[in-house]
Amino acid sequence: MKAKLILENGIVLEGKAFGYLKESVGEVVFNTGMTGYQEVLTDPSYYGQIVTMTYPLIGNYGINLEDMQSNSPKVKGFIVREQCDYPNNYRCEIKLDDYLKTNKIIGIEGIDTRYLTKILRSSGTMRGIIALRELSESQIKNKLENFSNKEAVNNVTTKEAYTIDGNGKHVAIWDFGIKQNIIDSFLERDCKVTVFPAHAKGEDILKTNADYVFLSNGPGDPEDLTDIIENIKKVIGKMPIIGICLGHQLLALCLGGKTSKLKFGHRGCNHPVKDLEENKVYITSQNHGYYVSKLPENMKITHVSLNDNTIEGMRHEFLPIFSVQFHPEASPGPSDMNYIFDKFLLSA
């Protein structure tokens, strides 16, 4: 079936629909990873977004149920140059097309994804529609204007608190859309983890008497999360705090810093970051559309992006507070930065 990608700047790209054949609206972004498409699909940080994969062939090793980063795909749509009809890998359990059908996610193939990426790089991230029918100008306008991602965190967080036992440090996790491999990274270090919903009260976190509070990754604009910010403020100075991605941004806002939106975001597995404390450069996995644009008082920069010099990590000068913007747990991407979890656990 023919399909169209309609961008809010008026550009229309034609292709062929696959997956679940139902129209979808979202924020169109691109990811430069050559592999890891199923981790991208199931990363809760992509909630509300239509993801374009710049690598031309997607689906060639199929889908397996072991590498998922959440219980289902979180994207609003999936754009590829070509989807593989005949995957070949010993771990393959289901084809990409069938997986999207089962989970009611629309895909579109046959689009020049390099051209689309250039549009997003020059014009910036924008809203779009994957349409299966002709839409009038008023219909397009209404659909784009009615799209909002402000409730994204509410839609991906755990509904109830739960605990996974371990013999090591106890980590209280604030779940804003946490990836499974972050939890696994703590469990590999024999940590006990207690996962709380995004809107858990600061008082409830303090009652755990955990060794650390962890602020997870997640989707959306951190400035929309005013209630969450107020709850995080209640634990500052009372417990060691560590964070990744959205958690890093929320910490900055809690401490008096500022966040801003990147023109087209950092999404991929090949972003160079310099660790200023180690004086080394690492390749990182990233997925974020916002960044810390003003460093809070009494925080020092620990990591910087070598692509655009944005802040990629910060540490408090007096309090046990440490956070990074990139994803040290990878999934997908390189595991160069996995040592950050050990630094987290030494930060108190």
Side-chain angles (χ1 to χ4, degrees):
M1 179 180 290
K2 291 183 178 180
K4 293 181 179 180
L5 173 66
I6 305 170
L7 299 175
E8 65 176 294
N9 65 355
I11 292 177
V12 178
L13 302 175
E14 295 188 356
K16 177 184 174 184
F18 68 101
Y20 189 68
L21 301 182
K22 185 177 181 180
E23 185 176 281
S24 185
V25 183
E27 183 182 45
V28 184
V29 302
F30 65 88
N31 183 291
T32 57
M34 296 175 66
T35 61
Y37 50 83
Q38 72 175 59
E39 289 94 336
V40 169
L41 287 169
T42 56
D43 181 348
S45 293
Y46 282 108
Y47 186 91
Q49 296 179 332
I50 296 173
V51 179
T52 305
M53 300 300 292
T54 60
Y55 189 72
L57 180 63
I58 300 296
N60 50 309
Y61 53 85
I63 297 286
N64 70 75
L65 301 180
E66 186 178 349
D67 294 337
M68 303 302 178
Q69 294 305 303
S70 64
N71 59 3
S72 66
K74 297 298 187 289
V75 303
K76 295 284 285 185
F78 202 45
I79 302 172
V80 301
R81 180 69 182 91
E82 179 185 354
Q83 62 122 354
C84 180
D85 292 320
Y86 303 101
N88 186 359
N89 187 278
Y90 74 99
R91 298 180 70 213
C92 175
E93 297 177 62
I94 185 172
K95 295 197 302 182
L96 173 62
D97 184 35
D98 293 334
Y99 182 68
L100 294 183
K101 281 188 174 76
T102 300
N103 290 280
K104 299 184 177 180
I105 305 292
I106 190 170
I108 182 170
E109 66 172 323
I111 282 179
D112 186 340
T113 50
R114 291 184 179 184
Y115 174 60
L116 174 56
T117 300
K118 287 181 178 180
I119 292 172
L120 297 176
R121 283 181 61 89
S122 60
S123 301
T125 296
M126 66 186 82
R127 293 167 294 182
I129 306 168
I130 299 179
L132 300 172
R133 58 193 173 102
E134 292 297 325
L135 297 174
S136 67
E137 288 186 11
S138 61
Q139 286 176 315
I140 293 171
K141 181 180 178 181
N142 287 337
K143 288 179 181 296
L144 293 175
E145 288 181 350
N146 288 332
F147 170 75
S148 172
N149 208 30
K150 288 189 175 183
E151 294 298 314
V153 168
N154 290 335
N155 289 319
V156 296
T157 185
T158 183
K159 303 307 178 188
E160 296 181 354
Y162 63 92
T163 297
I164 304 174
D165 286 327
N167 297 315
K169 297 290 188 178
H170 183 191
V171 182
I173 294 175
W174 240 314
D175 175 12
F176 310 125
I178 194 166
K179 288 170 62 181
Q180 182 59 45
N181 205 40
I182 292 178
I183 295 175
D184 291 345
S185 295
F186 284 120
L187 297 178
E188 286 168 6
R189 289 160 175 81
D190 204 21
C191 293
K192 172 183 176 181
V193 300
T194 302
V195 183
F196 288 89
H199 290 279
K201 301 297 182 183
E203 295 85 353
D204 294 332
I205 302 295
L206 291 170
K207 287 177 184 176
T208 64
N209 292 316
D211 296 295
Y212 306 89
V213 177
F214 176 76
L215 310 180
S216 85
N217 65 296
D221 184 344
E223 292 187 359
D224 289 337
L225 306 176
T226 53
D227 291 345
I228 290 173
I229 290 170
E230 291 306 310
N231 275 310
I232 295 172
K233 286 180 179 179
K234 295 177 182 178
V235 305
I236 290 176
K238 299 176 182 177
M239 299 177 73
I241 305 177
I242 48 184
I244 288 175
C245 202
L246 178 61
H248 165 78
Q249 298 159 17
L250 290 171
L251 260 178
L253 293 174
C254 289
L255 295 167
K258 292 184 179 179
T259 59
S260 301
K261 188 171 185 178
L262 291 161
K263 186 176 181 179
F264 49 80
H266 296 168
R267 299 176 180 89
C269 307
N270 53 356
H271 290 255
V273 166
K274 184 171 184 178
D275 184 328
L276 301 179
E277 295 178 329
E278 302 282 343
N279 195 31
K280 293 181 180 179
V281 176
Y282 298 89
I283 301 301
T284 68
S285 177
Q286 303 208 9
N287 172 19
H288 59 102
Y290 295 83
Y291 72 108
V292 175
S293 53
K294 179 185 175 183
L295 190 71
E297 187 176 353
N298 295 322
M299 295 293 285
K300 63 178 181 179
I301 298 174
T302 60
H303 298 77
V304 294
S305 167
L306 296 184
N307 283 340
D308 59 12
N309 293 316
T310 51
I311 298 169
E312 290 282 350
M314 61 183 187
R315 185 191 297 275
H316 201 280
E317 293 181 351
F318 313 114
L319 300 174
I321 296 175
F322 179 32
S323 64
V324 295
Q325 179 63 76
F326 53 87
H327 284 268
E329 80 287 350
S331 293
S335 57
D336 296 22
M337 284 289 199
N338 193 256
Y339 71 91
I340 289 293
F341 287 95
D342 298 314
K343 293 186 77 168
F344 279 160
L345 299 178
L346 291 173
S347 62

